[in-house]
Amino acid sequence: MELGIPETWPEISPEMEIAEILFGFVDNKLIMDNANDNTVKVVFFSLLLDLLAFTMILPLLPALLDHYKVLSNKGLYSMISHHVQNLRVLLNAPDKVDTVLYGGFLGSMYSFLQFLSSPIIGALSDTYGRKPLMLLCLTGITMSYLLWALSKNFGIFVLARFVGGISKGNISLSMAIISDVTSPEKRGKAMALVGIAFSIGFVVGPMIGAFFAWISSNNRNETWYIAPALFASLLAASNLLYVFYNLKESLQVKYRAKTLLSGIIKSIIYINPIDLFQFTSVLGLNNKEQHNLKMLGRTYFIYLFIYSGLEFTLTFLTHHIFAFSSMQQGWMFLGIGLIMAILQGGWVRRVPSHKTKSVAELGLWLIIPAFICIGLAKNIMMLYFGIFLFAVSTAMVVTCMMTLVTKIGPEHQKGTITGIFRSLGALARASGPIVASAGFWYFGSTTTYLIGAVFLLLPPFILHTMKSL
């Protein structure tokens, strides 16, 4: 659950309470100062509606997969289950839950489709404008939730996630729109609204999903998932109509790419792993800057690859090991989101520039005992302590790492550099869940989390060796 907080937060007074940290930024003056035509305000509320719908499914996923397992006498689930059983015999794997493997496949598929589609959608928007592509994405997202509501079998549910993943270019489009309508001096405050939308979405959205699960808990029939799916589709449809009537085209015709081919070629750098890790498209760097950028990129990828995989399996661990209900998982997400919002809004954003690297290192070290505690937890208190460390570490790492990234390279290359880092993060999230879920399935949660904790020693060690940042 990476909240995606950008590197710069708007200024707020230190006396703000929790509610103000979460919601106080969303103030007409802040938004209007960034764009006279209200475009930033429209983008913010569009993202908020999108993320509320997107995060609803998080506490429901383990129960959903259990539901499709019960109905697995035919169809896609049954076919995959047959192959999984054969693989278990071949590997002499223990008889453990299969749903975490299905969940890992869905999580990686969704992120991989987003990784592929976002740069291509961005290239199309450079040629044809932002609004048409935004409407296309939001239409696809709405259709994905309607397919979820109709998913009487696992095959339709997979199709729903496929459509949702390939349509998820609206977030990168939102950042492109903000860049179109703001000056470099005011862009940081406007981009901070993206982080605030993520914070609110990941705090409130899972609770909405858990609320629907709680309502249906006394009547868990074969169609219990329809209510949350229809509510998510209602939010998505409202978002589509809101953008259609309120968003103005932000990319003037004179600034658009002359040919689509040039945009597509440019987008390849964001989906070619070799280009990503070598930063071949970043020009004007000396050898020291090039070295530091590559080291930061590898640190960021290794961290997110392991982190995203273990993070994804957290709901399955609490579901199968601690018998958490969907409502309990909703409260867990609420607690994580509040801790992160308080730390990012009240402390991380105030970290002096010369201390950013040390705070990032501390966050990278803290995630190791967090996953050790979660993996070894035999009682609820140890689990909660691990989750607390997890939330504290998450609040520190991504924000500080992206701040370090912005210190490297000339100003005119910053957009390319941060875009490559976003793609590295997407690639890590596309591969981490399936690897961690396979480990969870084969080795069990404890061994998987301990192995992950060992490999998480690499990112802080690599970062510590970079003395010049």
Side-chain angles (χ1 to χ4, degrees), residues 20 22-28 30-31 44-45 193 196 200:
E20 291 174 305
L22 282 175
F23 302 104
F25 300 126
V26 189
D27 135 323
N28 235 12
L30 171 63
I31 297 172
F44 170 78
F45 285 109
L193 290 170
I196 296 161
I200 297 173

Side-chain angles (χ1 to χ4, degrees), residues 18-143:
I18 294 175
E20 291 174 305
I21 290 172
L22 282 175
F23 302 104
F25 300 126
V26 189
D27 135 323
N28 235 12
K29 183 177 182 300
L30 171 63
I31 297 172
M32 292 300 291
D33 281 350
N34 283 287
N36 292 329
D37 62 358
N38 247 2
T39 299
V40 175
K41 178 179 179 180
V42 173
V43 169
F44 170 78
F45 285 109
S46 171
L47 274 175
L48 185 57
L49 287 170
D50 175 68
L51 290 163
L52 287 174
F54 170 73
T55 55
M56 279 179 56
I57 199 172
L58 295 178
L60 304 178
L61 189 56
L64 272 170
L65 293 174
D66 283 346
H67 168 75
Y68 290 118
K69 185 176 182 178
V70 172
L71 304 176
S72 64
N73 57 329
K74 59 181 180 178
L76 181 63
Y77 196 107
S78 177
M79 182 180 70
I80 297 175
S81 180
H82 174 72
H83 292 297
V84 169
Q85 296 295 336
N86 291 338
L87 183 63
R88 174 182 288 129
V89 173
L90 178 66
L91 298 176
N92 194 28
D95 186 18
K96 295 183 178 178
V97 293
D98 294 336
T99 52
V100 66
L101 204 58
Y102 291 78
F105 160 74
L106 289 173
S108 285
M109 180 192 74
Y110 193 96
S111 296
F112 183 71
L113 290 168
Q114 187 177 355
F115 166 73
L116 290 178
S117 66
S118 291
I120 295 172
I121 289 171
L124 289 169
S125 75
D126 287 341
T127 304
Y128 301 110
R130 312 294 189 207
K131 185 172 181 178
L133 272 298
M134 178 67 83
L135 293 174
L136 180 64
C137 288
L138 296 180
T139 300
I141 291 169
T142 304
M143 292 301 298

Side-chain angles (χ1 to χ4, degrees), residues 59 206-207 210 325-337 384:
M207 286 304 300
S325 65
S326 296
M327 179 58 77
Q328 287 174 300
Q329 292 191 345
W331 284 113
M332 178 182 72
F333 282 111
L334 176 64
I336 292 172
Y384 283 157

Side-chain angles (χ1 to χ4, degrees), residues 59-60 205-217 326-327 330:
L60 304 178
M207 286 304 300
I208 297 175
F211 174 73
F212 277 105
W214 175 72
I215 289 177
S216 63
S217 60
S326 296
M327 179 58 77

